[in-house]
Amino acid sequence: FVAFNFGSPSVALADVAKQLQDIRTATFTRTASREGHPAVTIKETFVGPSAFRMESSSGMIMVADQGKEKMLTLVPAQKVAFMFDLQDAPDRDHGKNWLQDVRQQIRDAVAKPDEAIEELGSRKIDGRDAVGFQLQLENRELTVWADPATALPIQIESTTGLVSPKVSHVMTDFEFNVEVDRQLLSLE
């Protein structure tokens, strides 16, 4: 018996949504860029369901627990620390958990059969096979490149402000269900 795949991905976006939903921890790199500004690289650690840490290339560190609605921001070079109550934050992106946000957007898109999901086919990313999906969301385009064997993301690209100025985020270097030092997520 021989099976042929004529261009359709070997994994569906629903498989990616399921894999993302089942992760307990993750580390990844997010590169954020905005037209006319230098890119910022952020090392992120996620511990489900709602805690995360972001270490920016600028030296700033943010630790948040959305379940506790608290965020600690550290600026080691200036020996400054700020504690925020996320419940009162006027900017909804302040304290945003990027991985949780992407998980929710993919889950919502899969649940709505009328959602615009385009299968992008296959390509290599950093020497790895990947299958792609593009979602057209309200004021955002989300592209997910997943490993066809595991259905776990290899790269996630998000572009907001589909009119100028565009802001893009590229998430790479994923490691899923890894041991995480819980002290790195302490709000104390």
Side-chain angles (χ1 to χ4, degrees), residues 120-175:
L120 301 177
S122 301
R123 84 173 210 203
K124 293 253 188 214
I125 296 179
D126 294 331
R128 298 172 62 190
D129 291 331
V131 293
F133 305 91
Q134 189 168 72
L135 291 74
Q136 296 296 328
L137 307 169
E138 184 178 322
N139 198 31
R140 179 181 298 197
E141 184 177 273
L142 185 67
T143 304
V144 179
W145 293 97
D147 183 314
T150 65
L152 286 168
I154 295 172
Q155 182 170 299
I156 299 173
E157 305 157 9
S158 173
T159 303
T160 57
L162 297 177
V163 295
S164 194
K166 291 185 180 180
V167 178
S168 69
H169 299 268
V170 179
M171 300 162 70
T172 59
D173 306 322
F174 287 99
E175 292 185 49

Side-chain angles (χ1 to χ4, degrees), residues 41-69:
T41 300
I42 304 153
K43 300 287 186 187
E44 299 199 34
T45 302
F46 165 81
V47 176
S50 61
F52 63 95
R53 176 185 178 98
M54 296 187 286
E55 297 179 36
S56 170
S57 56
S58 69
M60 186 170 63
I61 300 168
M62 293 174 27
V63 178
D65 189 325
Q66 291 173 314
K68 294 179 182 175
E69 296 184 326

